Amino acid sequence: MVHSGERAYVYAKACGIIGKSFVGPRIAALNPLGRLSELDRLVFSFDARELPERELLPDIERRITKRSIKAVTSIVNCFDNPPEFFTLLVRSYEYADIKTALASLDENAEEKNRPVFTNLGRFGTVNFDLWPDFEKMIRGTEFETLCGNRKPGKGAGAENAGMAVETAIDRHYYRRLWQALLKLKKSDRQTAEKILREEISLRNASWALRLRTYYGMDGGEVKKHLVDIPGHKELTKDAVSALELPLDSRHEWESWKLAAYLNPEGADAWRVDPRSFQNAAAERLYALALSNFRRRPLSLDTVFCFIKLKQFEEDLLTSGAEGLVLGMSSRDVFDLLEMNL
C-alpha cells in the first residue's frame, strides 16, 4: 500500500527534478553548444572538469549516467516499500550491464578489460566487483539461470550464442516487468500499461528490422528473438507483420501499422534504416512520457513517466556528448537523430 502522503511528496519532488532536467522546453538550452566542455559546464556547473575532450568524453558519460541513476533512485527511495515495478525499472541498468559484461568477455577473453558498471546501491543484485569472474559475479542471482552456462568466445557461433542469451535476458526482464505492473492497482497503472505496451511493441519491431537488415535473418529466425508476453500476441503483431515485406521498397510498407516511423524516401535508392526507426520510436515514447507526467499527479503513473523521462534525458545527453567530441554541434546531433525537439 502506497500512502497518499508518499504520493504527494513523490510528485512534488519529481516535478522539482524534471524542472531542472533537459526535457521539454529546457532541451533548447542544448542547441547552441559546440564543444564538449560547454556541455560539461551546462550540465555539471559545480563539477565541470578541466580535461582534454577525448579524456572528458568517458568521464562525462559516466557522470551523466550516475546523475540519472541518482535522480531515479532518489524518487524510488521515497517509498517505505517501493513497488517491485519501480525496483525493476531501476534494475534495467543492471540487465544492460550484464549484456555488456558478456560482450566484453567475448571481445576481451584474454585481456579481461573491465567495462564500466553502474552502481545501483541496494537495488543491485550482481557483484560486479568480482569481474572478470563472471560465474562468481552472478552467483545467487536470477542471471545464474539465464546465462550461467555462457562461455566467452569469438566467431559466428559465439555471436549467435550471445544473441540468444541477450534475447533470453530481454524476454525475462520484460516478462518480470509486466507481471510486476499487473500487481499495481488499475488506477495506478493506466498510463504505465499503455506506454509499456507501446515500448515492447516498438522494441520488437525495431529488433526485427535490425535482425533482417544487419544479420540477414529470415522471418522464422527473427521470431525466436522477439519479446513475447504470454497472452498478449498484440505485442509481437507489428513485428511479425513486417517480416515478409521487402527491405528495399518503401511503397510495400505503406499499409504497415508503423510505417510512419520508417525513414522517408530520398534521392538515393530507398532501404529500411533500423536506426531511423529506432530514433522515431524513442521520440514517440518520450512524447508519451512527457505528455502524461503531470496528467494524474497522485497515481503511480507519475513515477513511471518520471523514470522514462530521466532515461531519455540520459540518452540525449550521451548522444550529444559523443557528437560534440566528433566536432558536431548539438543541433547537428539532434538532426542526425531525426528528433523534432
Side-chain angles (χ1 to χ4, degrees):
M1 174 69 69
V2 179
H3 302 294
S4 58
E6 285 181 317
R7 295 169 185 266
Y9 179 75
V10 163
Y11 178 67
K13 185 168 183 174
C15 285
I17 294 173
I18 289 298
K20 299 176 182 178
S21 301
F22 295 94
V23 297
R26 287 205 78 221
I27 290 179
L30 302 173
N31 285 335
L33 304 181
R35 294 182 62 83
L36 187 58
S37 55
E38 294 174 356
L39 176 65
D40 192 18
R41 288 193 294 271
L42 177 65
V43 179
F44 302 103
S45 55
F46 298 106
D47 189 31
R49 309 290 170 83
E50 296 296 332
L51 294 171
E53 299 222 331
R54 289 289 178 180
E55 295 179 27
L56 181 57
L57 179 61
D59 180 77
I60 195 174
E61 286 181 329
R62 284 193 293 270
R63 283 182 287 137
I64 287 170
T65 298
K66 185 177 179 180
R67 173 179 178 270
S68 180
I69 292 172
K70 181 179 179 181
V72 169
T73 55
S74 74
I75 292 298
V76 177
N77 277 324
C78 289
F79 298 102
D80 288 338
N81 295 294
E84 181 189 9
F85 183 62
F86 295 148
T87 63
L88 282 171
L89 289 172
V90 173
R91 289 189 57 227
S92 65
Y93 290 94
E94 185 172 72
Y95 281 79
D97 281 350
I98 283 291
K99 291 188 286 186
T100 298
L102 287 168
S104 296
L105 286 173
D106 284 342
E107 295 169 2
N108 308 298
E110 296 179 1
E111 298 90 344
K112 307 294 187 187
N113 293 333
R114 189 184 195 278
V116 176
F117 299 121
T118 50
N119 180 3
L120 298 181
R122 71 187 183 100
F123 297 105
T125 66
V126 176
N127 189 349
F128 288 107
D129 290 336
L130 296 178
W131 173 269
D133 193 328
F134 189 74
E135 290 184 7
K136 288 185 178 179
M137 276 172 45
I138 63 174
R139 188 168 295 165
T141 73
E142 62 196 301
F143 300 107
E144 191 169 14
T145 301
L146 280 171
C147 46
N149 294 324
R150 178 83 164 92
K151 303 297 182 184
K154 297 181 180 180
E159 182 177 62
N160 291 337
M163 195 174 298
V165 173
E166 182 172 343
T167 296
I169 292 172
D170 287 346
R171 183 177 290 136
H172 176 78
Y173 175 71
Y174 276 110
R175 285 182 176 181
R176 281 201 66 188
L177 192 61
W178 189 265
Q179 291 168 357
L181 171 70
L182 297 183
K183 292 177 183 178
L184 301 178
K185 293 191 303 183
K186 285 187 177 181
S187 59
D188 271 328
R189 57 177 164 89
Q190 293 177 14
T191 299
E193 185 170 341
K194 174 185 175 182
I195 297 178
L196 187 58
R197 282 181 185 275
E198 196 147 351
E199 178 181 330
I200 296 173
S201 177
L202 289 170
R203 183 264 179 210
N204 278 328
S206 177
W207 194 232
L209 296 181
R210 286 178 59 193
L211 293 178
R212 290 188 63 199
T213 302
Y214 300 143
Y215 296 92
M217 286 190 183
D218 60 26
E221 281 298 308
V222 170
K223 288 179 182 178
K224 297 177 183 177
H225 294 282
L226 299 180
V227 170
D228 58 316
I229 307 294
H232 293 278
K233 291 184 178 180
E234 74 278 4
L235 300 178
T236 58
K237 183 179 179 180
D238 293 329
V240 171
S241 66
L243 295 180
E244 302 303 324
L245 296 173
L247 297 173
D248 58 357
S249 175
R250 183 69 168 80
H251 174 71
E252 298 291 332
W253 291 79
E254 290 302 324
S255 61
W256 189 45
K257 183 180 176 181
L258 302 177
Y261 298 95
L262 293 170
N263 50 303
E265 289 185 297
D268 299 326
W270 186 86
R271 189 170 179 81
V272 167
D273 182 358
R275 291 170 299 180
S276 181
F277 181 92
Q278 186 172 339
N279 291 338
E283 184 175 3
R284 165 63 177 168
L285 295 173
Y286 158 71
L288 284 173
L290 185 64
S291 63
N292 284 283
F293 172 60
R294 291 182 173 84
R295 185 159 294 175
R296 304 176 64 244
L298 297 185
S299 76
L300 297 182
D301 283 330
T302 293
V303 179
F304 174 80
C305 291
F306 171 84
I307 293 173
K308 290 300 177 181
L309 287 174
K310 292 303 294 183
Q311 291 176 340
F312 170 84
E313 180 201 39
E314 178 187 347
D315 290 341
L316 186 67
L317 293 176
T318 299
S319 296
E322 292 171 350
L324 288 168
V325 84
L326 294 175
M328 302 170 65
S329 69
S330 289
R331 187 66 260 174
D332 290 337
V333 174
F334 296 159
D335 290 342
L336 185 64
L337 293 174
E338 302 174 89
M339 306 196 79
N340 301 312
L341 302 172

